[in-house]
Amino acid sequence: MNKLKIPAVLVLAYLVLPLAVNGNDYVVSLIVAALTIGGIALAWSMLGNLGGMVSFGHAAFFGIGSYASALLTIKAGWPVLVSMLFAGLVAAASSIATMPALRLRGPYFALSILAYAEIFRIIATEWKGLTGGAAGILSIPRLPEIMGIDLGGKIGGYFVVVTLVIAMVGIYAVIRRSPQGLALKAMHDSEDATRVVGVNATMLKALMLVVSAFFAGLMGAFNAHYINFLEPDYAFSGSWTTLAIVAAIFGGYRTLWGPLIGALVVYLVDQLVFKAILPQGHQIILGALLGAMVLFSPTGLTPLIAKLTRLQRKETANAAH
Amino acid sequence: MANLLDVQSVRAGYGSINVLWDMTLGIPEGKLTCILGPNGGGKTTLLRTIMGLIPASAGNVSFEGRDCTNEKTWNMVSQGVVMIPEGRMIFRDMTVEDNLLVGAFPKKCRARYKQNLDMAYQMFPRLKERRDQLASSLSGGEAQMLAMGRGLMEEPKVILVDEPSLGLAPVIVDEVMGILDNLRNQGRTIVLVEQNTNKALAIADHVHLVRGGKVVLSQDADQVDLAHLHDLYFARDHQNAS
C-alpha cells in the first residue's frame, strides 16, 4: 500500500494532472499558486511541527528569497535556476538575524518574528538603490527552457513547482526519521526533558529555522521568476504567511503531506467555488471552514481522511463476514 | 577508590533564592550513594546543578577528574552523567519505543542503539509489551521504568536518580529499588536521591544527609544509626548542633 503510494503520487503529479488541465491556463495558474502556498505551508510546518514554534513571519523569508533571486539574475546576470537555489541560501542566512526570537516561546515567538518580517519589508521598500523601492522590479527573467520544455510557460512552471514541493516532502521525510527529527518531536513535550537526555535543544531549533527559511525562500524565488514582477508589499505580504498557516492547519500540519493537500484544497476550492458564489469577501467561508475543521478534527484533513477510510474498511470487512 | 564525581563547596539556587550553601560530597565509582533529606533541603537542586540545568554561583563540580562546573547539560550527558528526573519527564505524546530511542540521541550511543534497546527491554519486559503505546498511557511505575530505560540508552557512567519512589505503590517502590540494586551490582555508579529512608538505606553503600543546603551527615550505610539519622532528618539536633 505504502509502496504504491509514492509512484501513484508521481504519476498523478507528472502525467495525469498536466494532461487533464493542459490548455486551461486559468486552472494551471491556480494550481501553481496553490502549490506555491503549499510549499510555504510545508516550510512553515517543518518549524511548526518539528520545532514546535508557530511563525507569523514566513512572508519575510519568502520575500527575501524572491528579491534575492530577482536581483541575482538581473544585476549579477546569474542563470535563473542557480540563483533560485542561492536565494534559498540567502533566506536561510537572513533567518540567523531572527534567531534572538528563538529565546521566546509560543505567542511571544510568533509576534516577534512577525515584527522581523515587517523590518525586512521596510528594508525592501526603503533601500531604493538595490530593490527599486516601492516601484518594484519589472521584467524579472523567466525560467529557462530545458529539454524542449519551456519552464517559463504555464505548464512548465507547474513542473518546476511540483518538483520543488515533492523534493521538499522527501527531505522533510528524511528529517522526520532522523535522530534529530525524533529529538525535535520530543522537544514539544518538554524542552527541559530533552536537555536531560542530551539534546542541544537550542541548536536543533535554530537548525530547523534555517531549513524552514531556506525552503520558504526557494518558493519565493520560484514565484518571482514565474510572475516576473515584484514589489515589497506583494513579496512581503502577510497573506503569504496566513494562507500557508491556514493550509497547513487545514491539511494537518503534523503530517507529511497535510500542508500540501491543505493548500490545494483550500486554495482551489476558495478560488473556483467560493469566489463564484461570493465574489466579495469569499474568504469568510474559508474562515468558517477552518474553524469547523479545528473544532471537529483538530489534527486536520489528512488524519481525518485516514480515519474515515479505516472505519470504512472495517465496515466492509464486517459486512463480508 | 577515586571519586567519579566530586562536588566542592558548591553554591547554587534560583535567582535571588539560594538553596545550596556549601555543598561538598564525593561519589565513588561502582557504588550506590544515597542522598537523603527533608523537602527543600537542596537534593534536587544539587542534581540539577551537577547537570548544568542551573548555574553554580560558587564552588566546582568535577567528573573523572575534569572540571565541569556549569557545563552545558547535553555535554554532561554525552560525557556519561545521566539524570533520571523527578516526575520522570517522559515524552507523553510519543510511543514507548520512541521515548527510548530519544535516549540514544547522544552521538556516541547512536551506533549501539539496537543492543541498548534490547538491553532495556530485557531489564523492563513490560516496556517491550507496550512498545507501540503512547507513553501517556503508562502507569506510574511503568513510567518510572521508561525513564530509567531511557537513561540506560544513554550509556551512563553515573546515573543520578531523583526520587524514583515518588507517587508509587509500595510494591512498585520495592521493584524500582530492586532494579537500582541490580544496576549497582552490575558495576554501575548510582546516586539516589530519596525521602524514603528505610528503603534507600537497604540498598545504599554510602549515605549523605542534606539539610539546609549542606551535608549534615556522611556515613557508610551499614554504620548508620537510624534513630540518629531521623533526629538529624527532622532537625531534632539543636542540643548538639555544631
Side-chain angles (χ1 to χ4, degrees), chain B residues 25-136:
Chain B
L25 52 84
I27 307 299
E29 195 169 353
K31 302 280 184 204
L32 198 156
T33 307
C34 188
I35 298 174
L36 294 169
N39 273 335
K43 305 183 299 293
T44 298
T45 308
L46 171 65
L47 295 193
R48 293 177 68 87
T49 311
I50 293 173
M51 290 306 292
L53 283 165
I54 52 174
S57 51
N60 56 61
V61 179
S62 60
F63 177 64
E64 293 183 318
R66 272 170 294 131
D67 181 67
C68 59
T69 321
N70 297 336
E71 183 63 84
K72 297 268 188 246
T73 308
W74 44 85
N75 291 335
M76 293 303 288
V77 175
S78 52
Q79 280 179 43
V81 185
V82 164
M83 178 160 93
I84 297 168
E86 185 182 347
R88 354 287 188 214
M89 282 199 184
I90 54 170
F91 304 113
R92 303 173 57 81
D93 292 342
M94 296 169 78
T95 62
V96 167
E97 183 145 312
D98 279 353
N99 262 274
L100 292 172
L101 289 177
V102 174
F105 183 80
K107 275 206 182 72
K108 60 162 178 111
C109 350
R110 282 186 205 165
R112 285 178 303 277
Y113 83 93
K114 277 218 172 86
Q115 290 100 297
N116 290 336
L117 193 64
D118 285 342
M119 177 202 65
Y121 280 147
Q122 211 169 10
M123 195 168 288
F124 307 106
R126 239 179 305 167
L127 294 183
K128 190 169 189 175
E129 285 165 32
R130 302 187 188 282
R131 61 204 289 176
D132 294 322
Q133 283 183 23
L134 284 186
S136 52

Side-chain angles (χ1 to χ4, degrees), chain A residues 46-316:
Chain A
M46 289 183 192
L47 187 67
N49 180 27
L50 289 183
M53 282 172 302
V54 173
S55 157
F56 283 168
H58 266 57
F61 306 131
F62 182 85
I64 289 166
S66 52
Y67 264 92
S69 196
L71 293 173
L72 281 170
T73 45
I74 292 172
K75 304 221 162 170
W78 287 26
V80 172
L81 291 178
V82 177
S83 63
M84 271 173 64
L85 271 183
F86 199 81
L89 294 178
V90 172
S94 76
S95 74
I96 294 170
T98 69
M99 277 182 190
L102 285 180
R103 299 179 65 97
L104 304 169
R105 284 174 204 196
Y108 304 100
F109 171 79
L111 288 177
S112 68
I113 201 155
L114 178 66
Y116 272 111
E118 208 46 22
I119 293 170
F120 285 121
R121 189 184 61 83
I122 293 167
I123 292 174
T125 315
E126 299 300 326
W127 195 350
K128 296 195 175 79
L130 183 71
T131 64
I137 304 175
L138 295 170
S139 53
I140 297 164
R142 305 155 41 100
L143 286 149
E145 200 180 301
I146 288 177
M147 291 186 298
I149 304 171
D150 177 19
L151 299 181
K154 286 282 177 226
I155 202 78
Y158 166 79
F159 280 120
V160 174
V161 75
V162 92
T163 306
L164 286 178
V165 293
I166 287 178
M168 276 169 74
V169 169
I171 293 167
Y172 188 26
V174 171
I175 295 177
R176 280 161 68 112
R177 256 183 247 145
S178 68
Q180 284 80 2
L182 198 62
L184 281 161
K185 201 178 154 206
M187 208 163 63
H188 35 96
D189 252 335
S190 156
E191 209 176 305
D192 250 3
T194 42
R195 270 174 222 264
V196 167
V197 294
V199 175
N200 186 341
T202 320
M203 173 76 148
L204 280 187
K205 277 208 290 192
L207 265 175
M208 229 39 235
L209 177 65
V210 169
V211 171
S212 178
F214 172 82
F215 285 122
L218 194 61
M219 293 319 295
F222 162 76
N223 192 55
H225 295 292
Y226 181 70
I227 61 161
N228 317 111
F229 163 76
L230 279 182
E231 59 167 9
D233 284 345
Y234 167 78
F236 289 87
S237 162
S239 54
W240 292 117
T241 311
T242 45
L243 273 174
I245 295 178
V246 169
I249 292 177
F250 191 87
Y253 77 104
R254 293 221 191 278
T255 62
L256 199 54
W257 293 95
L260 216 51
I261 292 169
L264 282 169
V265 170
V266 164
Y267 192 78
L268 294 181
V269 169
D270 180 53
Q271 292 292 317
L272 292 172
V273 182
F274 299 159
K275 209 173 173 181
I277 303 168
L278 204 68
Q280 293 282 306
H282 52 96
Q283 291 93 339
I284 200 166
I285 310 180
L286 209 58
L289 210 61
L290 181 70
M293 181 62 92
V294 170
L295 277 177
F296 296 114
S297 175
T299 46
L301 185 64
T302 321
L304 182 70
I305 293 171
K307 205 163 91 185
L308 290 179
T309 45
R310 252 201 318 275
L311 275 178
Q312 201 167 28
R313 212 172 295 150
K314 217 185 255 171
E315 261 168 34
T316 42

